[in-house]
Amino acid sequence: MSVSGLRRVAITGLGPVTPIGTGAQAFAGAQREGKSGVGPITHFDPADVPSKIAGEVKDDLSAWVDPREARKLDRYVQLALAAAELAVRDSGLSEDELRGERTGAVIGSGIGGVKTFEEQANVLRTRGPGRISPLFIPMMIANMATGHVAMRYGATGPSSTVVTACATGTGSVGDAARYIQLGLADVMLAGGTEAAVTPIAIGGFSNMKALSTRNDAPQEASRPFSASRDGFVLGEGAGVLVLEEYEQAKARGATIYAEIVGYGTSADAHHITLPAPEGRGAQVAMRMALATAGVNPGEVGYINAHGTSTHFNDLHETQAIKAVFGAHAHALAVSSTKSMTGHLLGAAGAVEAIAVAQALHDGILPPTINLTDPDPLLDLDYIPEGAREVQVEYALSNSFAFGGQNAALLFKRA
Amino acid sequence: MATFEDVKAVIVEKLGVDADKVTPEARFVEDLGADSLETVELIMGLEDRFGITISDEDAEKIRTVQAAVDYIGSQQ
């Protein structure tokens, strides 16, 4: 039992599918190298959109998803199935061990099957509603990653889908951890997935002036905390973690990457896209994550920031960290792995949870790349020099969303 | 005139099955594993490919590859 009287939650499987690498080893290696996964958009011809760059997943998914099945799945579900399979294999759990009502899934998505939506909207416009594919709805709806992952593993336990935009991945892992803490499941497949590198999504984000247009230098475009940052870079991918009740994980000799010890979530109740002044909602989420674990701010050694590379996010997040951590804000390390992956929207928090688990397990903190011209208003230690070898005990991961929704997870070294 | 090969190509695409399984006698549901949604996809694919309209009533009766070839032939 933890200090809170709840069951403990171990992370025993990692399944990242990201623009900088697929699989735990490749993803960890890319973070150490400080690799950028951003490049010119290839999923469609970006001639007509202002932002012509994105973090695309280049790996062939056919090793994890039968190409004949893939035909009936939006890319966002394909990415989730690949991530889930990687996480399951990494955990060492057998299919027999996973099957049944003690295993559940929470795999969120910020948007769902937007490519399918876009394609079928074109069918509607050109040929009428009578030609809409009967697979349109089951391909597009945002709960289908959870549904397909549950079907794939026969996971008949707790099942839900978090849709909190860019906080989705963090909320999914947090909610899934709760099911284990409360004794409602022993294993949860938890994470997020997104495949929104499509004209309608890039067009929409572009017109919000949210995206970087550093088209001539894609690998330098995602530059959180830098004075010359000009917006986020859209990324695609998925992250799934195997969460397991701690004593069970220990008894079977599983590799425990880290423990999830705290979770906080909150609303700004302020504006559809702008953060609340001083990141007030973000502060509530971070404080809640600490309080649920009974951990003092001074014990936290690393924060994986939301760090989108937009003016407003980076400013308000830094203000919020200072408000929560006081003087200790300058002693702990903060970095944005989005500097490497781009912003994976609903998958971001899950991929970042994987990065934090690896940081705690390996004793290496991931860097913020491209931070060559720090914004003078942002004065924390953002790990600009490259991956840093240091073993911390507690790490926090932040995610903040349009709609003013915030989520924070607190991890402990295993 | 719809040939067996033309129909087969649509079936392979819409049901994602191996081409060598698409024999004249093959049944869409039992032999080729089509579920109800895929069956609708297939009928719509055949309508598009051959420029015909297949009523729900007629679609119910098209259960094998040969039945599809024959039906399409009769409509063209």
Side-chain angles (χ1 to χ4, degrees):
Chain A
M1 287 283 185
S2 66
V3 286
S4 56
L6 298 167
R7 303 201 310 167
R8 292 167 69 180
V9 181
I11 298 170
T12 59
L14 305 178
V17 178
T18 82
I20 60 168
T22 288
Q25 211 176 348
F27 182 56
Q31 291 173 75
R32 276 172 215 175
E33 289 167 32
K35 183 177 156 187
S36 168
V38 179
I41 289 173
T42 65
H43 286 347
F44 66 94
D45 178 356
D48 297 332
V49 292
S51 178
K52 304 178 196 303
I53 52 175
E56 296 178 342
V57 171
K58 301 294 187 188
D59 301 281
D60 177 13
L61 302 178
S62 63
W64 301 283
V65 187
D66 181 342
R68 288 179 296 189
E69 279 299 306
R71 206 177 49 79
K72 292 179 279 179
L73 304 171
D74 188 275
R75 184 168 172 81
Y76 98 96
V77 173
Q78 296 178 33
L79 292 165
L81 283 168
E85 181 62 17
L86 284 161
V88 165
R89 287 184 199 175
D90 189 47
S91 76
L93 286 166
S94 69
E95 301 219 345
D96 281 346
E97 288 172 304
L98 287 171
R99 201 169 298 116
E101 65 193 54
R102 297 303 297 172
T103 301
V106 182
I107 319 277
S109 179
I111 306 181
V114 66
K115 179 161 183 274
T116 299
F117 208 122
E118 189 178 271
E119 286 170 354
Q120 294 296 312
N122 278 333
V123 173
L124 173 67
R125 197 165 47 85
T126 55
R127 304 182 60 205
R131 307 314 294 178
I132 298 293
S133 168
L135 294 171
F136 166 53
I137 300 293
M139 284 175 75
M140 173 274 293
I141 50 182
N143 66 331
M144 272 295 169
T146 300
H148 279 286
V149 166
M151 282 182 256
R152 167 72 182 79
Y153 300 101
T156 54
S159 178
S160 90
T161 302
V162 172
V163 182
T164 51
C166 305
T168 294
T170 298
S172 298
V173 174
D175 284 4
R178 279 287 187 215
Y179 288 118
I180 294 177
Q181 287 181 317
L182 295 172
L184 306 177
D186 297 324
V187 176
M188 290 296 298
L189 303 175
T193 181
E194 206 78 73
V197 183
T198 78
I200 197 167
I202 294 271
F205 284 119
S206 284
N207 290 345
M208 295 174 76
K209 309 292 180 202
L211 294 182
S212 169
T213 54
R214 200 178 292 260
N215 298 321
D216 54 348
Q219 303 210 331
E220 295 164 26
S222 186
R223 42 195 312 111
F225 318 119
S226 113
S228 59
R229 66 192 187 278
D230 72 329
F232 76 82
V233 175
L234 190 64
E236 64 169 357
V240 172
L241 299 90
V242 175
L243 308 185
E244 195 170 349
E245 191 274 320
Y246 184 85
E247 297 302 334
Q248 168 184 314
K250 211 172 147 190
R252 74 178 180 89
T255 297
I256 299 177
Y257 291 98
E259 266 188 77
I260 295 177
V261 293
Y263 172 42
T265 170
S266 70
D268 283 0
H270 172 68
H271 186 268
I272 53 169
T273 57
L274 295 176
E278 288 90 45
R280 283 198 303 256
Q283 293 180 36
V284 172
M286 284 190 269
R287 287 199 178 99
M288 194 183 295
L290 293 164
T292 52
V295 169
N296 296 316
E299 296 178 82
V300 174
Y302 170 63
I303 299 176
N304 187 295
H306 189 53
T308 57
S309 181
T310 63
H311 170 72
F312 284 108
N313 174 82
D314 295 358
L315 178 64
H316 289 89
E317 183 170 19
T318 289
Q319 290 173 340
I321 290 170
K322 288 182 184 175
V324 171
F325 291 90
H328 183 64
H330 293 278
L332 53 75
V334 180
S335 73
S336 169
T337 39
K338 288 186 182 78
S339 62
M340 297 177 273
T341 61
H343 187 355
L344 274 54
L345 306 180
V351 164
E352 286 150 18
I354 293 171
V356 171
Q358 291 178 323
L360 289 170
H361 185 251
D362 300 343
I364 300 174
L365 303 181
T368 303
I369 67 166
N370 297 321
L371 186 45
T372 50
D373 58 332
D375 182 331
L377 292 173
L378 308 178
D379 57 353
L380 300 179
D381 171 8
Y382 302 108
I383 318 182
E385 76 283 3
R388 184 182 297 171
E389 282 191 40
V390 53
Q391 183 64 62
V392 304
E393 294 300 313
Y394 290 97
L396 192 73
S397 182
N398 284 337
S399 293
F400 311 129
F402 288 165
Q405 291 177 292
N406 311 292
L409 279 168
L410 186 68
F411 303 77
K412 181 180 185 295
R413 178 191 181 191
Chain B
M1 186 66 191
T3 68
F4 172 73
E5 290 301 324
D6 294 334
V7 174
K8 180 173 161 178
V10 176
I11 294 167
V12 167
E13 187 207 327
K14 293 296 175 187
L15 301 187
V17 292
D18 292 332
D20 58 12
K21 288 195 177 153
V22 186
T23 60
E25 310 76 46
R27 295 165 297 177
F28 296 122
V29 176
E30 296 86 346
D31 301 323
L32 302 179
D35 63 24
S36 61
L37 296 184
E38 290 171 318
T39 306
V40 179
E41 276 264 293
L42 175 62
I43 293 295
M44 288 173 64
L46 293 170
E47 289 176 328
D48 287 347
R49 171 65 181 78
F50 299 105
I52 58 173
T53 302
I54 305 174
S55 69
D56 288 353
E57 203 176 32
D58 287 349
E60 287 280 319
K61 295 174 195 150
I62 304 172
R63 291 180 184 161
T64 66
V65 176
Q66 189 61 49
V69 175
D70 293 345
Y71 181 86
I72 294 159
S74 75
Q75 298 294 306
Q76 286 182 319

